[in-house]
Amino acid sequence: MHVTAPRAEHRTDPLGLGESRPRLSWTTATDRPGWRQSAYEIEAGTERFTAESAESVLVPWPFAPLTSRQRVQVRVRVRSAEGDWSGWSPPAAFEAGLLHPADWSARFVSPPADEHLLRGDFTVRQAVTAARLHVTALGVYEAELNGVRVGDHVLAPGWTSYHHRLRYQTFDVTGLIRPGPNTLGAILADGWYRGRLGFEGGATGIYGDRLALLAQLELTFADGGTRTFGTGPGWRCAAGPLIAASIYDGETHDARLEVPGWSSPAPPPDPATWRPVEVVEHDLATLVAPTGPPVRRTGELAPVEVLTSPSGRTVLDFGQNLVGRLRITAEGAAGERVVLRHAEVLEDGEPATRLLRTAAATDVYVLRGGGPEVWEPRFTFHGFRYASVEGPADPGLVRAVVCHTDMPRTGRFECSDPLVERLHENAVWSMRGNFLDLPTDCPQRDERLGWTGDLQVFAPTAAFLYDCAGLLESWLADVAAEQAPSGAVPVAVPNVLGERSVFAAAGWGDAIVLVPWTLYRRYGDAGLLERCFPAMCRYVDHVAELAGPSRLWTEGYQFGDWLDPAAPPDRPGAGRTPKEVVATAYLAHSAGVLARAAEVLGRDAERERYQALAAAVGEAFAAAYVRPEGTVLGDSATGYALALTFGLLPEPGQREFAGRRLAEVIAEGGHRIATGFLGTPLVCDALTEAGQVATAYRLLLQRECPSWLYAVTMGGTTIWERWDSLRPDGTVNLGEMTSFNHYALGAVADWLHRCVAGLAPAAPGYRRLLIRPRPGGGLTRARAALRTPYGPAEAAWRLDGEQAGEQGGELDGELDGELEVTAVVPPNTSALVHLPGGEPFEVGSGRHRWTVPVPAGLPAPVSVPVSVPVSVPVSVRVDKATD
Ligand code: BGC
């Protein structure tokens, strides 16, 4: 029995915790089958706490609350059901951040005329044993101490609803402090705080018009004494090489203006260039510690091809649509310029910058001259696969640096069809590109906003692929903070679109209910559910009021089943499913989920109230929109998918009818996609539940447009916004809303995990797994592996004829006429196993293997030729090492 070092909340690094009572989680590794924990003991410093308990995920902090800055070594041991104790886990050093506004003696300082270099000088006269830098900015910042970059965060402090919540970071800088003179410096840029945000020109200065830095360095000396040095009146600022930095438009850096030694004690600041800063006020009560990991540079790609465009430009192809920026190596005379333009696709051989709308996405480097110069922008990011390079930079030495929130990768999927694997990989890349501090719709054009509906549908997939609990916890706090008193939720959070965007939109606003529920199901975090609960109720109450006594939600603007392929390109909301069907179905669903949340939280009154509401809305839906036999108004795939998965078909026979009709509708459409943002994530589940798995597979494996694999065969390396972002003739969709990196339609990956491979949560946090593979579609094998909160889990299957042992190295030989299913069930959990043709049964932790006869009616495995049209560049070089 080996116990991992305890984790604090959803943090990957327990330095600067914002919780005074951080909940603890650990996992136990053991070979003993059916292992259960019967007790745990936590040691924090000199204190110990023992509990007779099987809990190991997010267990309550049993000691006195941590005080600001308090550091304590925490370790855990566990007792098995047989009664023997494990050894102690390795210790984790939990350290609280600054928990109260009064802990800050530093003041926000602002450069008076947009200078972007700031510095403060101080002297250290005693040996320092510990040094912590607590730091944030109005804007984005990078800190340096004595000429050395502090930490490796990108675009800190990240983007939150700044007027409610501003994150600060805590760094251990003990190793950077020197005896004698020291200098703390920071570079500031607009970032999301002051830069341009929003489409149709957007707005600047949404949060404020002055950049500012707040930095508090706390030193602990060998004799136990402490000293604090923070931003305040003595600080100075100077202009420097940063000419412009914008999230949308890119960065311009003039290396001739660099100030050597700007963050070092020598030379001391020349008062002629270093002017005094101004102290500005900002509400310290908005400061919060991070709940998840920071944005980092997580990988690097070299160009796979250097092209010359028809107009003669040098264009680099990185073979992968990604988010980040370029690092260049340039050599030339002082004042020469390198200009970098970014694009996701080529149009007529040229970078398709029109898709970026008003985002310039252009970085400019002005050379200092005199030798090779290496440069990478600091305060911007782009979504691109291609980049044009003008000027004296060596194209072969350019690297694309991938940036996103540095979440632990937790989930993987494999199967026998390379196109399906690439589809899954595309969903992974779209998540990487759009989980840059918060969940966004797209990463490239003048948008990049926290659209609620996109995340609502993608959250289950996201929660499998990466541990995104901490990131989404922060975003949900913003969603709640920005909820209107009416209960309406901005359609994108943080809200930079203004009042016009604060309205209930079905499938979008419901994120406030459905995302916390998803996180509860996937991570077992009931505390988060509790915190979100009042906001969840406010939203459902608001929508119930909009629906009124009819219980049908027919009023107000709706996005509907956004981007149904049948909708005209310029009217993405005009799909074939009536908007009132979508809206009323969502109200019933959210009310039902809220009732379940109330039950988890032991709130009986609310449980009864929302159960009754869900039932009433369900009845109204059935009465108004469902014919007695089961036809749903509109007769669309999305209508049936909603009615089936949200349980809105109460009469006998209606479900069967709707399932059959859904399969027929899809067949009538040639097994092509007939659903948009809201129907697509549900359609395969609806078919599966209705016993129409074969149709689900036909939909999955379709390659004609519109379909999931169409984009793959067209060389897509991320999930597209439109089913035909690239059209069958190879031309780019003319719609002015055409992104190649929008994760919403990639939500089918969740079905791949749960139903194709067969790994789903049967209890919150995967405390109990559901292993239920549904072989089909000619696939010969599939496998899903997930690092659950309890440890690694896996479900895999293969049909005879597949060389076993190739995947996990567990098995040898070939199997005949059999379906072999293997599973890994983490210690302290169990699994409900449902194999084709059999009755469900329960197993304990450990490795399992079963063989059953190949289910009747399963189509014979077919070999799937992978062909890709030659008109589209497809060189795919996936940086596997980084995930
Ligand atoms: C965004 C979406 C979003 C939609 C809602 C678009 O501009 O990119 O993904 O959900 O608007 O209308």
Side-chain angles (χ1 to χ4, degrees), residues 2 4 27-30 410-411 759 766 769 771 783-795 823-829 845-847:
H2 292 284
T4 55
T27 62
T28 302
T30 171
T410 46
L759 180 59
Y766 295 84
L769 314 180
I771 308 277
R783 172 179 176 263
L786 176 68
R787 188 134 56 86
T788 74
Y790 296 89
E794 190 176 313
V824 176
V825 180
N828 211 23
T829 71
S845 72
R847 291 180 168 272

PDB file of all heavy atoms in Angstrom, residues 2 4 27-30 410-411 759 766 769 771 783-795 823-829 845-847:
ATOM      1  N   HIS A   2       0.773   2.007  -1.063  1.00  0.00           N
ATOM      2  CA  HIS A   2       1.520   3.263  -1.127  1.00  0.00           C
ATOM      3  C   HIS A   2       0.537   4.411  -1.261  1.00  0.00           C
ATOM      4  O   HIS A   2      -0.316   4.388  -2.139  1.00  0.00           O
ATOM      5  CB  HIS A   2       2.489   3.269  -2.302  1.00  0.00           C
ATOM      6  CG  HIS A   2       3.594   2.290  -2.120  1.00  0.00           C
ATOM      7  ND1 HIS A   2       4.640   2.529  -1.262  1.00  0.00           N
ATOM      8  CD2 HIS A   2       3.782   1.070  -2.647  1.00  0.00           C
ATOM      9  CE1 HIS A   2       5.447   1.485  -1.284  1.00  0.00           C
ATOM     10  NE2 HIS A   2       4.946   0.575  -2.107  1.00  0.00           N
ATOM     11  N   THR A   4      -0.210   8.418  -1.936  1.00  0.00           N
ATOM     12  CA  THR A   4       0.422   9.589  -2.553  1.00  0.00           C
ATOM     13  C   THR A   4       0.399  10.768  -1.574  1.00  0.00           C
ATOM     14  O   THR A   4      -0.434  10.827  -0.668  1.00  0.00           O
ATOM     15  CB  THR A   4      -0.341  10.029  -3.817  1.00  0.00           C
ATOM     16  OG1 THR A   4      -1.712  10.252  -3.455  1.00  0.00           O
ATOM     17  CG2 THR A   4      -0.261   8.997  -4.915  1.00  0.00           C
ATOM     18  N   THR A  27      -4.432   9.185  -3.069  1.00  0.00           N
ATOM     19  CA  THR A  27      -4.796   7.881  -3.624  1.00  0.00           C
ATOM     20  C   THR A  27      -3.864   6.830  -3.040  1.00  0.00           C
ATOM     21  O   THR A  27      -2.751   7.137  -2.604  1.00  0.00           O
ATOM     22  CB  THR A  27      -4.687   7.853  -5.163  1.00  0.00           C
ATOM     23  OG1 THR A  27      -3.330   8.093  -5.526  1.00  0.00           O
ATOM     24  CG2 THR A  27      -5.569   8.902  -5.809  1.00  0.00           C
ATOM     25  N   THR A  28      -4.349   5.613  -3.039  1.00  0.00           N
ATOM     26  CA  THR A  28      -3.559   4.498  -2.527  1.00  0.00           C
ATOM     27  C   THR A  28      -3.293   3.535  -3.676  1.00  0.00           C
ATOM     28  O   THR A  28      -4.214   3.194  -4.419  1.00  0.00           O
ATOM     29  CB  THR A  28      -4.344   3.754  -1.419  1.00  0.00           C
ATOM     30  OG1 THR A  28      -4.651   4.712  -0.399  1.00  0.00           O
ATOM     31  CG2 THR A  28      -3.525   2.616  -0.825  1.00  0.00           C
ATOM     32  N   ALA A  29      -2.043   3.161  -3.823  1.00  0.00           N
ATOM     33  CA  ALA A  29      -1.707   2.156  -4.835  1.00  0.00           C
ATOM     34  C   ALA A  29      -1.478   0.832  -4.115  1.00  0.00           C
ATOM     35  O   ALA A  29      -0.752   0.788  -3.106  1.00  0.00           O
ATOM     36  CB  ALA A  29      -0.452   2.568  -5.592  1.00  0.00           C
ATOM     37  N   THR A  30      -2.100  -0.199  -4.595  1.00  0.00           N
ATOM     38  CA  THR A  30      -1.921  -1.514  -3.975  1.00  0.00           C
ATOM     39  C   THR A  30      -2.278  -2.587  -4.991  1.00  0.00           C
ATOM     40  O   THR A  30      -3.100  -2.360  -5.883  1.00  0.00           O
ATOM     41  CB  THR A  30      -2.816  -1.685  -2.732  1.00  0.00           C
ATOM     42  OG1 THR A  30      -2.745  -3.048  -2.296  1.00  0.00           O
ATOM     43  CG2 THR A  30      -4.269  -1.337  -2.997  1.00  0.00           C
ATOM     44  N   THR A 410      -5.400  13.800 -17.745  1.00  0.00           N
ATOM     45  CA  THR A 410      -5.940  12.674 -16.980  1.00  0.00           C
ATOM     46  C   THR A 410      -6.537  11.575 -17.851  1.00  0.00           C
ATOM     47  O   THR A 410      -6.561  10.426 -17.422  1.00  0.00           O
ATOM     48  CB  THR A 410      -7.041  13.161 -16.010  1.00  0.00           C
ATOM     49  OG1 THR A 410      -7.918  14.031 -16.715  1.00  0.00           O
ATOM     50  CG2 THR A 410      -6.449  13.896 -14.819  1.00  0.00           C
ATOM     51  N   GLY A 411      -7.031  11.915 -19.034  1.00  0.00           N
ATOM     52  CA  GLY A 411      -7.785  10.911 -19.777  1.00  0.00           C
ATOM     53  C   GLY A 411      -7.240  10.666 -21.167  1.00  0.00           C
ATOM     54  O   GLY A 411      -6.756  11.585 -21.829  1.00  0.00           O
ATOM     55  N   LEU A 759     -16.176   3.524 -20.241  1.00  0.00           N
ATOM     56  CA  LEU A 759     -15.710   3.942 -18.910  1.00  0.00           C
ATOM     57  C   LEU A 759     -16.474   5.200 -18.497  1.00  0.00           C
ATOM     58  O   LEU A 759     -16.284   6.274 -19.060  1.00  0.00           O
ATOM     59  CB  LEU A 759     -14.208   4.238 -18.949  1.00  0.00           C
ATOM     60  CG  LEU A 759     -13.561   4.696 -17.642  1.00  0.00           C
ATOM     61  CD1 LEU A 759     -13.730   3.650 -16.539  1.00  0.00           C
ATOM     62  CD2 LEU A 759     -12.076   4.987 -17.847  1.00  0.00           C
ATOM     63  N   TYR A 766     -16.147   9.027  -9.628  1.00  0.00           N
ATOM     64  CA  TYR A 766     -15.769   7.670 -10.032  1.00  0.00           C
ATOM     65  C   TYR A 766     -15.523   6.778  -8.821  1.00  0.00           C
ATOM     66  O   TYR A 766     -14.714   5.872  -8.852  1.00  0.00           O
ATOM     67  CB  TYR A 766     -14.545   7.662 -10.950  1.00  0.00           C
ATOM     68  CG  TYR A 766     -14.760   8.332 -12.291  1.00  0.00           C
ATOM     69  CD1 TYR A 766     -14.622   9.718 -12.433  1.00  0.00           C
ATOM     70  CD2 TYR A 766     -15.102   7.595 -13.415  1.00  0.00           C
ATOM     71  CE1 TYR A 766     -14.810  10.340 -13.663  1.00  0.00           C
ATOM     72  CE2 TYR A 766     -15.289   8.212 -14.648  1.00  0.00           C
ATOM     73  CZ  TYR A 766     -15.137   9.581 -14.764  1.00  0.00           C
ATOM     74  OH  TYR A 766     -15.327  10.200 -15.976  1.00  0.00           O
ATOM     75  N   LEU A 769     -17.389   2.865 -10.739  1.00  0.00           N
ATOM     76  CA  LEU A 769     -17.319   3.039 -12.184  1.00  0.00           C
ATOM     77  C   LEU A 769     -18.461   2.281 -12.841  1.00  0.00           C
ATOM     78  O   LEU A 769     -18.946   1.294 -12.289  1.00  0.00           O
ATOM     79  CB  LEU A 769     -16.013   2.452 -12.750  1.00  0.00           C
ATOM     80  CG  LEU A 769     -14.693   2.744 -12.069  1.00  0.00           C
ATOM     81  CD1 LEU A 769     -13.569   2.041 -12.830  1.00  0.00           C
ATOM     82  CD2 LEU A 769     -14.429   4.226 -12.038  1.00  0.00           C
ATOM     83  N   ILE A 771     -18.582   0.180 -16.122  1.00  0.00           N
ATOM     84  CA  ILE A 771     -17.818  -0.364 -17.248  1.00  0.00           C
ATOM     85  C   ILE A 771     -18.840  -0.984 -18.190  1.00  0.00           C
ATOM     86  O   ILE A 771     -19.419  -2.030 -17.894  1.00  0.00           O
ATOM     87  CB  ILE A 771     -16.831  -1.466 -16.771  1.00  0.00           C
ATOM     88  CG1 ILE A 771     -15.946  -0.979 -15.619  1.00  0.00           C
ATOM     89  CG2 ILE A 771     -16.044  -2.033 -17.944  1.00  0.00           C
ATOM     90  CD1 ILE A 771     -14.742  -0.210 -16.005  1.00  0.00           C
ATOM     91  N   ARG A 783     -10.223   1.683 -26.110  1.00  0.00           N
ATOM     92  CA  ARG A 783      -9.692   1.736 -24.747  1.00  0.00           C
ATOM     93  C   ARG A 783      -9.802   3.159 -24.226  1.00  0.00           C
ATOM     94  O   ARG A 783      -9.464   4.117 -24.929  1.00  0.00           O
ATOM     95  CB  ARG A 783      -8.224   1.322 -24.754  1.00  0.00           C
ATOM     96  CG  ARG A 783      -7.495   1.523 -23.442  1.00  0.00           C
ATOM     97  CD  ARG A 783      -6.044   1.048 -23.593  1.00  0.00           C
ATOM     98  NE  ARG A 783      -5.270   1.308 -22.398  1.00  0.00           N
ATOM     99  CZ  ARG A 783      -4.478   2.368 -22.217  1.00  0.00           C
ATOM    100  NH1 ARG A 783      -4.361   3.279 -23.156  1.00  0.00           N
ATOM    101  NH2 ARG A 783      -3.815   2.514 -21.096  1.00  0.00           N
ATOM    102  N   ALA A 784     -10.297   3.298 -23.005  1.00  0.00           N
ATOM    103  CA  ALA A 784     -10.286   4.604 -22.331  1.00  0.00           C
ATOM    104  C   ALA A 784      -9.552   4.428 -21.014  1.00  0.00           C
ATOM    105  O   ALA A 784      -9.777   3.443 -20.300  1.00  0.00           O
ATOM    106  CB  ALA A 784     -11.705   5.086 -22.079  1.00  0.00           C
ATOM    107  N   ALA A 785      -8.663   5.343 -20.717  1.00  0.00           N
ATOM    108  CA  ALA A 785      -7.918   5.297 -19.456  1.00  0.00           C
ATOM    109  C   ALA A 785      -8.045   6.655 -18.793  1.00  0.00           C
ATOM    110  O   ALA A 785      -7.963   7.690 -19.466  1.00  0.00           O
ATOM    111  CB  ALA A 785      -6.450   4.974 -19.720  1.00  0.00           C
ATOM    112  N   LEU A 786      -8.280   6.642 -17.514  1.00  0.00           N
ATOM    113  CA  LEU A 786      -8.527   7.894 -16.799  1.00  0.00           C
ATOM    114  C   LEU A 786      -7.867   7.863 -15.431  1.00  0.00           C
ATOM    115  O   LEU A 786      -7.986   6.880 -14.694  1.00  0.00           O
ATOM    116  CB  LEU A 786     -10.044   8.075 -16.608  1.00  0.00           C
ATOM    117  CG  LEU A 786     -10.469   9.301 -15.783  1.00  0.00           C
ATOM    118  CD1 LEU A 786     -10.165  10.589 -16.534  1.00  0.00           C
ATOM    119  CD2 LEU A 786     -11.952   9.223 -15.451  1.00  0.00           C
ATOM    120  N   ARG A 787      -7.176   8.934 -15.098  1.00  0.00           N
ATOM    121  CA  ARG A 787      -6.689   9.089 -13.734  1.00  0.00           C
ATOM    122  C   ARG A 787      -7.849   9.686 -12.930  1.00  0.00           C
ATOM    123  O   ARG A 787      -8.101  10.875 -12.998  1.00  0.00           O
ATOM    124  CB  ARG A 787      -5.453   9.983 -13.728  1.00  0.00           C
ATOM    125  CG  ARG A 787      -4.737  10.075 -12.430  1.00  0.00           C
ATOM    126  CD  ARG A 787      -3.225   9.933 -12.596  1.00  0.00           C
ATOM    127  NE  ARG A 787      -2.665  10.900 -13.537  1.00  0.00           N
ATOM    128  CZ  ARG A 787      -2.285  12.145 -13.223  1.00  0.00           C
ATOM    129  NH1 ARG A 787      -2.409  12.591 -11.992  1.00  0.00           N
ATOM    130  NH2 ARG A 787      -1.772  12.941 -14.129  1.00  0.00           N
ATOM    131  N   THR A 788      -8.598   8.857 -12.241  1.00  0.00           N
ATOM    132  CA  THR A 788      -9.740   9.334 -11.458  1.00  0.00           C
ATOM    133  C   THR A 788      -9.218   9.891 -10.129  1.00  0.00           C
ATOM    134  O   THR A 788      -8.047   9.706  -9.791  1.00  0.00           O
ATOM    135  CB  THR A 788     -10.721   8.185 -11.131  1.00  0.00           C
ATOM    136  OG1 THR A 788     -10.132   7.361 -10.103  1.00  0.00           O
ATOM    137  CG2 THR A 788     -11.050   7.330 -12.345  1.00  0.00           C
ATOM    138  N   PRO A 789     -10.079  10.555  -9.353  1.00  0.00           N
ATOM    139  CA  PRO A 789      -9.624  11.026  -8.041  1.00  0.00           C
ATOM    140  C   PRO A 789      -9.148   9.890  -7.132  1.00  0.00           C
ATOM    141  O   PRO A 789      -8.454  10.131  -6.149  1.00  0.00           O
ATOM    142  CB  PRO A 789     -10.884  11.689  -7.471  1.00  0.00           C
ATOM    143  CG  PRO A 789     -11.677  12.093  -8.684  1.00  0.00           C
ATOM    144  CD  PRO A 789     -11.422  11.024  -9.698  1.00  0.00           C
ATOM    145  N   TYR A 790      -9.510   8.659  -7.457  1.00  0.00           N
ATOM    146  CA  TYR A 790      -9.095   7.504  -6.644  1.00  0.00           C
ATOM    147  C   TYR A 790      -7.905   6.759  -7.229  1.00  0.00           C
ATOM    148  O   TYR A 790      -7.429   5.796  -6.627  1.00  0.00           O
ATOM    149  CB  TYR A 790     -10.279   6.536  -6.481  1.00  0.00           C
ATOM    150  CG  TYR A 790     -11.408   7.171  -5.705  1.00  0.00           C
ATOM    151  CD1 TYR A 790     -12.402   7.889  -6.356  1.00  0.00           C
ATOM    152  CD2 TYR A 790     -11.436   7.101  -4.315  1.00  0.00           C
ATOM    153  CE1 TYR A 790     -13.408   8.517  -5.647  1.00  0.00           C
ATOM    154  CE2 TYR A 790     -12.443   7.721  -3.593  1.00  0.00           C
ATOM    155  CZ  TYR A 790     -13.431   8.433  -4.271  1.00  0.00           C
ATOM    156  OH  TYR A 790     -14.414   9.052  -3.558  1.00  0.00           O
ATOM    157  N   GLY A 791      -7.469   7.176  -8.402  1.00  0.00           N
ATOM    158  CA  GLY A 791      -6.334   6.508  -9.034  1.00  0.00           C
ATOM    159  C   GLY A 791      -6.689   6.082 -10.450  1.00  0.00           C
ATOM    160  O   GLY A 791      -7.800   6.321 -10.931  1.00  0.00           O
ATOM    161  N   PRO A 792      -5.729   5.420 -11.126  1.00  0.00           N
ATOM    162  CA  PRO A 792      -5.921   5.100 -12.539  1.00  0.00           C
ATOM    163  C   PRO A 792      -7.021   4.063 -12.764  1.00  0.00           C
ATOM    164  O   PRO A 792      -7.069   3.043 -12.081  1.00  0.00           O
ATOM    165  CB  PRO A 792      -4.570   4.520 -12.966  1.00  0.00           C
ATOM    166  CG  PRO A 792      -3.615   4.880 -11.888  1.00  0.00           C
ATOM    167  CD  PRO A 792      -4.398   5.050 -10.638  1.00  0.00           C
ATOM    168  N   ALA A 793      -7.880   4.341 -13.732  1.00  0.00           N
ATOM    169  CA  ALA A 793      -8.951   3.420 -14.126  1.00  0.00           C
ATOM    170  C   ALA A 793      -8.850   3.198 -15.623  1.00  0.00           C
ATOM    171  O   ALA A 793      -8.281   4.022 -16.349  1.00  0.00           O
ATOM    172  CB  ALA A 793     -10.311   4.011 -13.784  1.00  0.00           C
ATOM    173  N   GLU A 794      -9.419   2.100 -16.060  1.00  0.00           N
ATOM    174  CA  GLU A 794      -9.323   1.800 -17.474  1.00  0.00           C
ATOM    175  C   GLU A 794     -10.445   0.860 -17.893  1.00  0.00           C
ATOM    176  O   GLU A 794     -10.849  -0.006 -17.115  1.00  0.00           O
ATOM    177  CB  GLU A 794      -7.978   1.113 -17.728  1.00  0.00           C
ATOM    178  CG  GLU A 794      -7.633   0.962 -19.173  1.00  0.00           C
ATOM    179  CD  GLU A 794      -6.236   0.367 -19.360  1.00  0.00           C
ATOM    180  OE1 GLU A 794      -5.283   0.841 -18.697  1.00  0.00           O
ATOM    181  OE2 GLU A 794      -6.127  -0.575 -20.147  1.00  0.00           O
ATOM    182  N   ALA A 795     -10.926   1.022 -19.111  1.00  0.00           N
ATOM    183  CA  ALA A 795     -11.823   0.042 -19.723  1.00  0.00           C
ATOM    184  C   ALA A 795     -11.346  -0.161 -21.142  1.00  0.00           C
ATOM    185  O   ALA A 795     -11.051   0.815 -21.839  1.00  0.00           O
ATOM    186  CB  ALA A 795     -13.263   0.541 -19.721  1.00  0.00           C
ATOM    187  N   ALA A 823     -10.451  -4.360 -17.562  1.00  0.00           N
ATOM    188  CA  ALA A 823     -10.748  -3.153 -16.787  1.00  0.00           C
ATOM    189  C   ALA A 823      -9.756  -3.012 -15.653  1.00  0.00           C
ATOM    190  O   ALA A 823      -9.239  -3.998 -15.133  1.00  0.00           O
ATOM    191  CB  ALA A 823     -12.164  -3.220 -16.218  1.00  0.00           C
ATOM    192  N   VAL A 824      -9.483  -1.774 -15.323  1.00  0.00           N
ATOM    193  CA  VAL A 824      -8.707  -1.467 -14.119  1.00  0.00           C
ATOM    194  C   VAL A 824      -9.618  -0.647 -13.211  1.00  0.00           C
ATOM    195  O   VAL A 824     -10.129   0.400 -13.634  1.00  0.00           O
ATOM    196  CB  VAL A 824      -7.419  -0.683 -14.450  1.00  0.00           C
ATOM    197  CG1 VAL A 824      -6.685  -0.294 -13.168  1.00  0.00           C
ATOM    198  CG2 VAL A 824      -6.524  -1.480 -15.376  1.00  0.00           C
ATOM    199  N   VAL A 825      -9.825  -1.144 -12.018  1.00  0.00           N
ATOM    200  CA  VAL A 825     -10.697  -0.475 -11.056  1.00  0.00           C
ATOM    201  C   VAL A 825      -9.815   0.018  -9.905  1.00  0.00           C
ATOM    202  O   VAL A 825      -9.113  -0.778  -9.285  1.00  0.00           O
ATOM    203  CB  VAL A 825     -11.787  -1.451 -10.538  1.00  0.00           C
ATOM    204  CG1 VAL A 825     -12.701  -0.768  -9.535  1.00  0.00           C
ATOM    205  CG2 VAL A 825     -12.583  -2.025 -11.708  1.00  0.00           C
ATOM    206  N   PRO A 826      -9.790   1.322  -9.639  1.00  0.00           N
ATOM    207  CA  PRO A 826      -8.853   1.850  -8.639  1.00  0.00           C
ATOM    208  C   PRO A 826      -9.161   1.350  -7.221  1.00  0.00           C
ATOM    209  O   PRO A 826     -10.322   1.064  -6.905  1.00  0.00           O
ATOM    210  CB  PRO A 826      -9.062   3.362  -8.699  1.00  0.00           C
ATOM    211  CG  PRO A 826      -9.800   3.627  -9.950  1.00  0.00           C
ATOM    212  CD  PRO A 826     -10.569   2.386 -10.275  1.00  0.00           C
ATOM    213  N   PRO A 827      -8.134   1.254  -6.388  1.00  0.00           N
ATOM    214  CA  PRO A 827      -8.352   0.911  -4.991  1.00  0.00           C
ATOM    215  C   PRO A 827      -9.384   1.837  -4.355  1.00  0.00           C
ATOM    216  O   PRO A 827      -9.473   3.016  -4.713  1.00  0.00           O
ATOM    217  CB  PRO A 827      -6.978   1.128  -4.355  1.00  0.00           C
ATOM    218  CG  PRO A 827      -6.016   0.965  -5.482  1.00  0.00           C
ATOM    219  CD  PRO A 827      -6.719   1.466  -6.696  1.00  0.00           C
ATOM    220  N   ASN A 828     -10.133   1.294  -3.431  1.00  0.00           N
ATOM    221  CA  ASN A 828     -11.150   2.064  -2.705  1.00  0.00           C
ATOM    222  C   ASN A 828     -12.354   2.428  -3.570  1.00  0.00           C
ATOM    223  O   ASN A 828     -13.112   3.315  -3.217  1.00  0.00           O
ATOM    224  CB  ASN A 828     -10.541   3.329  -2.079  1.00  0.00           C
ATOM    225  CG  ASN A 828     -11.247   3.721  -0.787  1.00  0.00           C
ATOM    226  OD1 ASN A 828     -11.880   2.877  -0.132  1.00  0.00           O
ATOM    227  ND2 ASN A 828     -11.170   4.979  -0.414  1.00  0.00           N
ATOM    228  N   THR A 829     -12.482   1.754  -4.711  1.00  0.00           N
ATOM    229  CA  THR A 829     -13.683   1.943  -5.534  1.00  0.00           C
ATOM    230  C   THR A 829     -14.200   0.575  -5.964  1.00  0.00           C
ATOM    231  O   THR A 829     -13.550  -0.450  -5.715  1.00  0.00           O
ATOM    232  CB  THR A 829     -13.410   2.754  -6.826  1.00  0.00           C
ATOM    233  OG1 THR A 829     -12.644   1.954  -7.729  1.00  0.00           O
ATOM    234  CG2 THR A 829     -12.669   4.040  -6.537  1.00  0.00           C
ATOM    235  N   SER A 845     -11.831  -3.441  -6.612  1.00  0.00           N
ATOM    236  CA  SER A 845     -10.672  -2.858  -7.276  1.00  0.00           C
ATOM    237  C   SER A 845      -9.726  -3.938  -7.785  1.00  0.00           C
ATOM    238  O   SER A 845      -9.740  -5.072  -7.322  1.00  0.00           O
ATOM    239  CB  SER A 845      -9.943  -1.927  -6.309  1.00  0.00           C
ATOM    240  OG  SER A 845      -9.284  -2.674  -5.317  1.00  0.00           O
ATOM    241  N   GLY A 846      -8.917  -3.564  -8.749  1.00  0.00           N
ATOM    242  CA  GLY A 846      -7.928  -4.481  -9.308  1.00  0.00           C
ATOM    243  C   GLY A 846      -8.051  -4.551 -10.817  1.00  0.00           C
ATOM    244  O   GLY A 846      -8.806  -3.797 -11.425  1.00  0.00           O
ATOM    245  N   ARG A 847      -7.279  -5.471 -11.388  1.00  0.00           N
ATOM    246  CA  ARG A 847      -7.329  -5.672 -12.847  1.00  0.00           C
ATOM    247  C   ARG A 847      -8.271  -6.812 -13.149  1.00  0.00           C
ATOM    248  O   ARG A 847      -8.220  -7.849 -12.494  1.00  0.00           O
ATOM    249  CB  ARG A 847      -5.942  -6.035 -13.369  1.00  0.00           C
ATOM    250  CG  ARG A 847      -4.996  -4.889 -13.294  1.00  0.00           C
ATOM    251  CD  ARG A 847      -3.616  -5.245 -13.810  1.00  0.00           C
ATOM    252  NE  ARG A 847      -2.870  -4.011 -13.949  1.00  0.00           N
ATOM    253  CZ  ARG A 847      -2.887  -3.256 -15.039  1.00  0.00           C
ATOM    254  NH1 ARG A 847      -3.572  -3.637 -16.110  1.00  0.00           N
ATOM    255  NH2 ARG A 847      -2.209  -2.132 -15.079  1.00  0.00           N
TER     256      ARG A 847
END
